[in-house]
Structures are given as structure tokens and as C-alpha cells.
Amino acid sequence: MPLGTTSGPLFLGSHHAIERIVHKQILACPGDTPIIEAARRMVDTRCSSIIVVEDGNPVGIWTERDALATDFSDPSCFGGAIADVMSSPVKTIEGSASIGEAGMRFQVEGVRHFVVVDASGRPIGVISQSDVILNHGVEHFLVLRNVGSSMSRPLVTVAGDCPLGEAVAQLRAAHADAAVVIGPGDHEPGIITERDVVRLIAQGTASATPVWDVASRPLISVEEGDSLLNARQILDSRQIRHIGVKGEDGRLKGLLSFADILAALQYEYVQRLDEALRERDEALLQSRRDLYLARKVIEATVDAIMIVNPRKQIEFVNPAFTAITGYTADEAIGQSPGLLHSGRHGAEFYAAMWESLDRVGTWQGEVWDRRKNGDVFPVWLTINTISDDDGNVTQFAGVFADITERKKTEEKIKNLAYFDVLTGLPNRRLFTDRLLVAMANAHRHGARLAIMFLDLDLFKRINDSLGHGIGDMVLIESARRLSASVREGDTTARLGGDEFVVLLPEVARIEDVVHLAERIIGKVRQPFVVDDHELYVTTSIGIAVYPEDGTTVEDLIRNADTAMYRAKEVGRNAFQLYAAAMNAGSFERLAMESSLRHALEREELHLAYQVKVDLASGRMSGVEALVRWLHPEMGPISPIEFIPLAENMGLISEIGAWVMETACRQCKSWHELGLPKVRVAVNVSALQFHESDVPAVVRRALAVSGLEPCYLELELTESVLMKRVEEVAGILDDIRALGVRISIDDFGTGYSSLSYLKRIPIDALKIDRSFVRDITGNGEGDEIVSTIINLAHNLKLKAIAEGVETQAQADFLRSKGCDEIQGYLVSRPVSPEDLVSLFDRDLLPADP
């Protein structure tokens, strides 16, 4: 059945019903029609769609956009049935709807064709985007908008020698309806569009054909400063749907289509302005009161209008201005437009705006303004310069609309694209995006990340026995439990069905991932109560780690999925790491955790002491207490391994209190032996500082040991001081009031402002060993160390260097005025008994 055509643009206006412009005849075919035959009929009738009918009823539609999905690499697919590739269901619209309403539907639903039906639902014709643009009657709006303001999509280009099948695949991947074809040499570019793809299908063109041979040439172009009305007229007269847009330098910047023009129309504004203009035209026929009527039109528009004089003072505002901003005319007139400034834009933003007005006489863009009540809101603002006959600027006319609802709609559309509708979790697309970013970051920093693939065990039984409604509630609650189990920076996503995935972008230790998996298994295992049903669900988890288990998104997800199935094979309600070695390592770590819980009561922990030396005298000035763990089976275990483990297990405060009390007792025993009195330094971790009452721990250690407070020193890292500075300062004041000294350990390795040094009570800065190691005598490391020493002395603090291993380092530090050092040059950490022999010795040649 051929498609009828209208006699040409009627320019009816947006308020007229679409039944006046609808194509009364419908191009249709049965569902078993071959794709190539359907394409030929569309080409022969110059139609952009064909309706698929069965038993006289439309069941689907195949459009030029759908043609992009055709696999040109498989010519046999041209003979496939149109029903297999059609879009369904068919989008319909009643013939009584206005042209303006149709335009809004096209924008919101993202389609290009509607089947028009009468009040009973019977099809009476077809309408396309092009029909709306050509009959909307908004020439007065299109002439005010330039082409450059309406381009919204990036330019897609393909090389002329690119095979046709590959070019179509690029269009499909870019979600584009047209691409510019770059020809050989100095040839003007061509274009390939969805309409060309339909033509090529109709011709049975081979996939390997160079796209240059089948592209439409040359590409018709306009300047970006041309009006949309001019562009529309060219599109209509040439019977094309795309036109190239060139910049001021003559280079191609993009493509403009009918869809772009449709997107540029502000329908609510256009419809109301149409009504006001129609009223004005009728009134002008009766009287010459055009000035009065023009003012009424301005007052009736839903957009705010503000007239500003060259001195940047507001001269006029309309009622919509008051409705949108809250400022009355009396409050606004005479004020600067800065009355509305939200503070979100800097001076350079407004300078660029006025520069554009001075240069081209217009400016348009999104601005955040502030209402009288203080609310900040987005507007779309257009400013035009008004000049007299001599070219002198007399006013600036600003028109703006509150686009809060539009941005909310955009956010909803974004959520539909990136979030799962049922659970609200990120979907596969957003998860993949975040995983790609996390992988790039991990690669750049040589770090690890992990993903967990989760499947609810036997979930199908719930759906089959209780229905999908109950199943959906279980999925929603599972999503909530998963989200509550992970860290703020992690991502929990639903891939579909009962499959979830968790992204851990920062993994310091595999054991942390194992603990999280155990926590999630425990959370999911708790009973679900849904509509008086008490349900029990478990989950199987597979874990893959980057880069060990894969360096691509596909590899990581596949390997995590494989590990998940291993977990099901071993009995469900469990987790498995993809790498067997990691499984072994994680269980070894779990065994270490079990032993650490009993290390204190079994007296497996002990302290070693490392000497601090006064650089001026070369004699011992203090010692630092260092905790050690001697496991009866595993042997010595490094603090680098068990201290983080203790923090994760919540044991660090208990161990820290034992270290402080033991160190104080040992120091007191040395004093009782008559040895020279020196201070003992004890490290306090950030977690211990924030989890326990450190002043109380100090008071108890001093009380039970009898050690004088002046001989105890606490060493804190910068990370302790950066969290809640005022609260930390108060705690340190309490400790200093006891007479205990405080020093900052590993100074210079933090990332925070040094302003805290003046706000908290400290006695010394310890220069991190990484800086000491870089001392060469004439390098950058020397300057850093010198700077820290000078900083300490300027603040009336001691400077202590740790990690000193060579005499050259010690000589340099002495020359720069460093007060104390510690390191292997003087002594390694030793037992309390071995330390006794070092008290009265010259450990370092004194300052000559």
C-alpha cells in the first residue's frame, strides 16, 4: 500500500490538530515480507518507515533507524522476515492532538514516527518529525535561533575507504543517524545516513563496498551563524534530512538534522507566544495601539523578561520575572542584574558574557540564579543587544525560563539509562563505566581492585512458588542489604534477574575482600519477612581481582562469574576467589587472625627498643618501643602484617594499651637500676586514638608503672591530627597537662595543610625515613630535610630523624641542626636486656 503525500508545508501553527497534516495512506506490508523487499518499497515511495500488519492490525514498524541494526556482513539477512527486525509495539497518537503536542511526544519518547489513530483507535495515517517541523508555524522562533546553538551531538566521521558494513557498525555504535564520509585527496566530504542504509539494503549492496562509492555527495552545508529557518528551508527544498554546519574558519563542525531543530523548539513558550501574537494581530486590525498590545504580550509570556540599560540598571521586568524570581518590579527596577547572582559563576563567566554582547550582540546559555528567598535554580538565558538607528546600544533584553523541571526530567532519563528500575542500583551500563574508570586508575597507580559476582541461591523457587511480586520484594531487600554492607566509594549493581555485582575500586589486601564477602553472606542469610512469609535466602559469591584475574571488563566479570559457580559447586552460601593461590592466602590470613586474638593472653607479644641519640653529645637520649609477635608455629610475624590485621579486627586498642603499660614498666625498671633516665616513646595508631580514651590509657599506664610523666612520649602520625582538629587538640591538651611529651611521626608524608601545627600541642617532629634515605649532599632530598628541620626549630620544636643508616647522613643532619636521630647506624631494635649495655656508651662521635 503506497504512502500518500501532502501538497507541501501548510504552516498551520502548533495549536492545529495533526489530522490536518497526516499522511492518509500508510505504507504497509505483512510480517513475512523480506527485509530487502520492504526496503525497496520504502525507497520507491520515498517513505521513511513501513508498518507491519497482521490480520489488518499494525503489529510493528520498521524505520530508517531500525535499518542500522542490519548485519551487512551477512547478506542472507536481507532476505529475513521484516517481523524479526521491526520495532514493536507501534507508537500511536490521536489525530485530535495538536502539532505542538506531537512535537513534545517526539522529544520525550525519542521516536520519529507515530501511527495516527482516530477516537476509536483505528489507524488513519502516519506522521513524522519532519511533518511537525514543516507545519509547526514557528518561523518567528526559528529565525531568532542560529544553527550553531542547536547542534547537540558529536560529529561522527568515517574514512571513504572504510567498508560499508564497518561504517554502518560505527553509526550503530555511536547511536548516530548520519556520518560524514571523508573522501580521498581534496574531495569535498560526503554523507551516509539512515536513509542511505535503507537504499543500500534495497540494492543488496555488499558489506565490503567502500562507503565512498555509496555515500551521498557532496555534503550540503550552512554556516553556524545562519538561522534555523534558513537551514530548514534548505532541508525541505533539497528533500534531505541532514545538512553540514561549518564554523567561521570554514571547517566542518557538525551535522544538523530535523531532529535537532525539533529539540530546539521550546513548545510551551511557542504555543503561548502563538496565542499572544494571534491576539495582537487581531487587535492591530481594530486599532493602532500596537505599543500597548506589545507590552501585554510581554506581560503574558511565561518566560521572564528583563530590560537593562547600558549602565547595567534594570529598567523593566514582566510579571513572569516576579513569578520566577520573587522580586517585584519596584524591587528590581534600578538595581543591577547582579541582584540574581547565585555565586556559582566567577567574574570571568560574566566578563565573557558581556564580551560576547559587545562583539556579536547576543549571548545564550545556562545560568544559575538566586531567587529572593535564597533558592538557587537553573535558567536558560538569552540576551540580545538593542541598538538605535545609528548603531548605539540603547538596551539589553534578557529572556529566561526556569528549567528546573527540564533538568529533573533529564536526570530521570539519565536514571533510566544508568539505574535498575526495580532496585534503584546502578545497572550493567553504569557498572561497566565505573569499572573502566577504576581499572584505569588502578593501572596508573599500580594498585588492585576487585569485583564480586553474586547470585541468590535457589531464588527461582521463590518466584515459582510465591510469585514474582514476592520475588521482587526479596530482590529489593537484597539490594538494600548489599548497599549497606559496602563502603561509600564501592559500587553495588544489579546485572539482571537475581545477579548482582560489587566493585571494590581500592583493595589494599585480599583479606579485606574476603571479610566483606563473609559479611555479605551473613547479611543475606538473615530471614526475609515479606507479606507474612518468612523466607530464607543465601548467596554464592565469586571474586576476581585486577590485574591478576583479568585486565579487561569482560575478563573480570567472566572470571568472577566462574568463581561464583565454584562457590555453588562446593555447597552454596559461600565465596570463592578466582585464583586458587589467593584462596589459600586468604585462609592463611584467617588462621593468623584466629591466632592474633589469643596472642596477648598467650604472651606471644613482646617489645623491642630502638635507641634515639642526641647528635650534640652522641649519647642515648631516649628509646622507641616497638611491638613484636613471635608465633609458636609461624615464627616471627612482621608488624607490617599483624598491626593492620589488629586494626581490622578491633584489637588495636587492647594491644596499644598493653604496649604503653609494658613500655612504662620497662622504663621505670631501668630507672630503678640507676641507669641514666631517658624517655620511652610509644606509637599510637590513628584507629587507636579515635577508638579509645587515650588520656585514660596514659593515666593508667603511668599509675600502674610509677613512671614519671616527663619520661613518656607519644608518637602520632599526621593522619591522627587531620581528623576533627579541634577535638584532637583538646585531647592532646589533656595529655600534655599530665606532663607527657608528644611528637609527630613520619612527618612530611601527609597531604594536609600545615596550619594544624600552630593549633595542637606538640614537642617534636620526626623526619620520615624516606626523606633521610634521599640525602645525597646536594640533592632535592637534602632541601626537604633542611626545610623540615628549620620548620621544627621555627616552631620551637625538636627535630628527630629516623632511619639513619650511614655516617654521611648523620653528619649532614648534625650540620643542619637536627637534634636527635635513630636508625641502624646507631642500633637495631634490641631486647630490654641488650639495651642495658648501650646506656653509658658513646653511640656516635660527638659534635666536634
Side-chain angles (χ1 to χ4, degrees):
M1 295 183 289
L3 176 65
T5 59
T6 58
S7 59
L10 301 176
F11 304 114
L12 297 176
S14 63
H15 59 284
H16 287 280
I18 60 174
E19 60 191 0
R20 300 186 62 178
I21 63 170
V22 67
H23 298 288
K24 296 296 185 180
Q25 292 178 308
I26 302 174
L27 179 63
C29 67
D32 58 359
T33 301
I35 295 173
I36 191 169
E37 176 60 26
R40 287 170 180 165
R41 296 178 65 181
M42 289 170 62
V43 172
D44 291 342
T45 57
R46 299 183 62 81
C47 183
S48 56
S49 66
I50 187 168
I51 307 301
V52 182
V53 296
E54 295 292 346
D55 298 327
N57 296 315
V59 296
I61 185 171
W62 194 66
T63 69
E64 292 172 346
R65 174 180 291 181
D66 295 322
L68 288 182
T70 305
D71 185 3
F72 273 75
S73 65
D74 181 13
S76 64
C77 75
F78 292 175
I82 196 70
D84 295 336
V85 295
M86 67 183 182
S87 295
S88 180
V90 179
K91 297 284 187 177
T92 63
I93 187 170
E94 287 195 12
S96 59
S98 70
I99 296 175
E101 291 173 359
M104 289 295 289
R105 286 277 305 276
F106 277 125
Q107 278 189 300
V108 172
E109 300 190 29
V111 297
R112 297 181 187 163
H113 302 82
F114 283 116
V115 172
V116 183
V117 298
D118 60 18
S120 65
R122 182 177 61 85
I124 60 174
V126 175
I127 189 172
S128 68
Q129 284 185 344
S130 302
D131 298 324
V132 171
I133 296 298
L134 294 174
N135 293 280
H136 204 285
V138 289
E139 287 67 27
H140 55 280
F141 179 79
L142 295 179
V143 78
L144 297 175
R145 296 287 297 273
N146 61 44
V147 170
S149 69
S150 302
M151 291 191 302
S152 59
R153 293 172 292 181
L155 178 64
V156 179
T157 62
V158 295
D161 57 359
C162 175
L164 173 60
E166 184 178 331
V168 173
Q170 290 185 36
L171 277 174
R172 183 168 59 248
H175 302 289
D177 57 1
V180 172
V181 181
I182 308 301
D186 296 329
H187 283 82
E188 286 292 321
I191 186 171
I192 183 168
T193 69
E194 294 172 341
R195 178 159 294 180
D196 292 323
V197 173
V198 173
R199 171 174 56 82
L200 297 171
I201 292 173
Q203 296 171 354
T205 308
S207 172
T209 303
V211 70
W212 181 253
D213 294 345
V214 295
S216 298
R217 305 197 301 269
L219 173 63
I220 306 302
S221 301
V222 295
E223 303 293 333
E224 63 178 334
D226 288 353
S227 71
L228 283 180
L229 180 60
N230 181 48
R232 190 198 72 174
Q233 290 171 338
I234 294 175
L235 289 169
D236 184 31
S237 64
R238 297 270 189 164
Q239 292 293 296
I240 56 177
R241 290 178 53 189
H242 299 81
I243 193 169
V245 179
K246 292 184 177 180
E248 294 179 357
D249 58 1
R251 294 184 179 180
L252 189 65
K253 295 186 66 175
L255 293 174
L256 181 79
S257 69
F258 272 114
D260 296 321
I261 298 177
L262 183 66
L265 294 176
Q266 303 174 22
Y267 283 95
E268 184 177 4
Y269 166 78
V270 170
Q271 288 174 327
R272 299 199 184 190
L273 189 56
D274 279 345
E275 295 172 4
L277 290 174
R278 189 166 60 253
E279 291 174 4
R280 185 196 66 181
D281 290 341
E282 293 171 357
L284 286 176
L285 293 175
Q286 300 174 15
S287 72
R288 302 184 63 178
R289 297 165 57 192
D290 52 349
L291 183 60
Y292 170 79
L293 185 57
R295 188 179 185 92
K296 286 298 182 182
V297 171
I298 293 174
E299 291 176 352
T301 183
V302 296
D303 287 350
I305 297 177
M306 175 174 57
I307 307 298
V308 178
N309 63 29
R311 298 186 301 278
K312 299 181 182 177
Q313 295 173 322
I314 299 173
E315 289 186 340
F316 170 83
V317 296
N318 69 338
F321 177 94
T322 299
I324 292 174
T325 69
Y327 289 103
T328 65
D330 289 341
E331 292 172 326
I333 292 175
Q335 299 292 325
S336 163
L339 178 76
L340 302 178
H341 287 182
S342 64
R344 290 198 179 188
H345 307 290
E348 66 281 0
F349 175 85
Y350 294 104
M353 175 190 294
W354 287 106
E355 189 275 333
S356 176
L357 288 171
D358 291 340
R359 181 169 49 85
V360 297
T362 186
W363 184 89
Q364 186 178 69
E366 183 179 302
V367 179
W368 285 84
D369 280 344
R370 187 182 300 276
R371 304 186 211 272
K372 182 180 177 180
N373 64 6
D375 291 344
V376 175
F377 67 107
V379 302
W380 185 261
L381 172 64
T382 300
I383 306 176
N384 286 296
T385 300
I386 302 174
S387 303
D388 58 21
D389 293 339
D390 297 326
N392 300 314
V393 176
T394 60
Q395 282 131 340
F396 299 96
V399 180
F400 61 87
D402 184 346
I403 59 173
T404 302
E405 291 304 318
R406 190 182 85 183
K407 294 187 77 66
K408 287 181 180 178
T409 300
E410 291 173 352
E411 185 64 25
K412 288 179 181 178
I413 293 173
K414 176 183 176 183
N415 285 344
L416 289 175
Y418 288 100
F419 292 88
D420 176 55
V421 175
L422 177 65
T423 64
L425 294 178
N427 60 15
R428 180 185 293 270
R429 180 178 179 182
L430 181 54
F431 175 80
T432 300
D433 289 348
R434 291 185 179 177
L435 179 55
L436 284 170
V437 172
M439 289 169 60
N441 186 64
H443 177 73
R444 184 163 55 251
H445 296 97
R448 280 174 164 176
L449 64 82
I451 64 169
M452 294 181 176
F453 197 102
L454 300 89
D455 182 89
L456 301 183
D457 300 324
L458 304 177
F459 175 75
K460 187 174 182 297
R461 291 185 180 180
I462 295 176
N463 270 347
D464 292 345
S465 59
L466 300 177
H468 289 278
I470 299 295
D472 286 350
M473 296 300 293
V474 171
L475 291 174
I476 292 170
E477 175 60 17
S478 299
R480 188 196 66 78
R481 294 183 184 183
L482 288 176
S483 298
S485 300
V486 301
R487 301 168 301 184
E488 184 177 354
D490 301 335
T491 294
T492 302
R494 182 188 178 206
L495 299 186
D498 61 339
E499 292 181 341
F500 298 86
V501 65
V502 175
L503 166 62
L504 310 174
E506 296 180 3
V507 173
R509 305 176 314 140
I510 300 301
E511 293 73 22
D512 297 336
V513 185
V514 170
H515 284 307
L516 176 59
E518 292 175 329
R519 185 161 66 248
I520 289 174
I521 289 172
K523 287 275 189 182
V524 174
R525 189 169 52 225
Q526 296 173 8
F528 292 75
V529 179
V530 182
D531 289 352
D532 298 328
H533 298 283
E534 186 173 82
L535 307 174
Y536 290 88
V537 177
T538 59
T539 184
S540 298
I541 302 175
I543 302 171
V545 178
Y546 173 91
E548 290 91 336
D549 299 336
T551 56
T552 67
V553 169
E554 294 76 12
D555 288 346
L556 283 173
I557 293 179
R558 182 178 62 253
N559 291 340
D561 188 28
T562 299
M564 182 272 292
Y565 277 104
R566 289 182 191 164
K568 286 186 177 293
E569 290 170 359
V570 299
R572 300 187 178 91
N573 194 34
F575 71 89
Q576 285 284 307
L577 289 103
Y578 179 73
M582 288 188 180
N583 270 316
S586 64
F587 292 125
E588 179 182 337
R589 183 63 63 183
L590 291 175
M592 187 184 297
E593 286 183 10
S594 177
S595 297
L596 185 57
R597 293 186 187 277
H598 305 288
L600 272 178
E601 62 186 63
R602 293 172 180 169
E603 298 183 351
E604 295 173 4
L605 298 182
H606 65 277
L607 296 185
Y609 298 88
Q610 187 171 31
V611 173
K612 294 181 182 178
V613 174
D614 182 282
L615 273 176
S617 66
R619 305 296 292 270
M620 184 191 303
S621 59
V623 295
E624 179 180 357
L626 302 170
V627 65
R628 297 291 186 261
W629 182 17
L630 182 60
H631 191 280
E633 297 175 359
M634 301 183 195
I637 299 176
S638 169
I640 296 176
E641 293 186 57
F642 74 81
I643 292 298
L645 200 61
E647 291 180 334
N648 288 336
M649 296 171 61
L651 297 176
I652 193 63
S653 295
E654 181 181 352
I655 293 176
W658 176 84
V659 169
M660 190 171 300
E661 184 174 326
T662 303
C664 288
R665 289 180 185 274
Q666 182 62 63
C667 190
K668 179 64 176 178
S669 70
W670 286 328
H671 293 176
E672 291 174 345
L673 290 174
L675 297 172
K677 292 187 176 183
V678 296
R679 295 184 308 276
V680 62
V682 177
N683 291 283
V684 178
S685 76
L687 197 60
Q688 178 187 358
F689 189 88
H690 292 293
E691 283 188 351
S692 60
D693 184 351
V694 176
V697 172
V698 171
R699 283 193 291 270
R700 172 175 171 77
L702 293 174
V704 299
S705 66
L707 181 67
E708 297 172 66
C710 62
Y711 292 110
L712 175 61
E713 179 176 2
L714 301 188
E715 294 189 0
L716 311 173
T717 62
E718 287 183 272
S719 60
V720 173
L721 310 175
M722 291 303 97
K723 298 179 180 178
R724 304 189 296 274
V725 175
E726 298 302 329
E727 178 184 340
V728 169
I731 296 173
L732 296 183
D733 281 333
D734 292 343
I735 296 173
R736 280 285 296 274
L738 298 174
V740 174
R741 289 170 55 91
I742 300 171
S743 63
I744 299 178
D745 196 14
D746 301 333
F747 183 77
T749 59
Y751 299 96
S752 302
S753 168
L754 297 179
S755 61
Y756 72 85
L757 290 176
K758 296 190 291 186
R759 300 166 60 189
I760 58 177
I762 54 177
D763 300 285
L765 301 181
K766 291 191 72 174
I767 305 170
D768 187 69
R769 66 182 66 249
S770 63
F771 299 132
V772 173
R773 184 170 56 247
D774 290 340
I775 293 175
T776 62
N778 58 0
E780 181 180 341
D782 305 1
E783 296 178 2
I784 293 175
V785 171
S786 299
T787 300
I788 296 176
I789 294 172
N790 290 335
L791 174 64
H793 290 165
N794 288 336
L795 294 173
K796 304 298 188 293
L797 306 175
K798 293 281 190 181
I800 305 170
E802 57 183 348
V804 179
E805 299 183 357
T806 68
Q807 186 62 47
Q809 291 171 345
D811 293 340
F812 175 85
L813 291 165
R814 178 186 286 131
S815 71
K816 298 301 179 181
C818 186
D819 299 289
E820 299 178 2
I821 65 169
Q822 68 181 98
Y824 287 177
L825 175 66
V826 178
S827 172
R828 293 175 177 269
V830 297
S831 67
E833 296 77 18
D834 291 340
L835 188 71
V836 171
S837 64
L838 303 177
F839 271 90
D840 292 320
R841 292 172 51 184
D842 289 328
L843 300 175
L844 198 69
D847 191 2

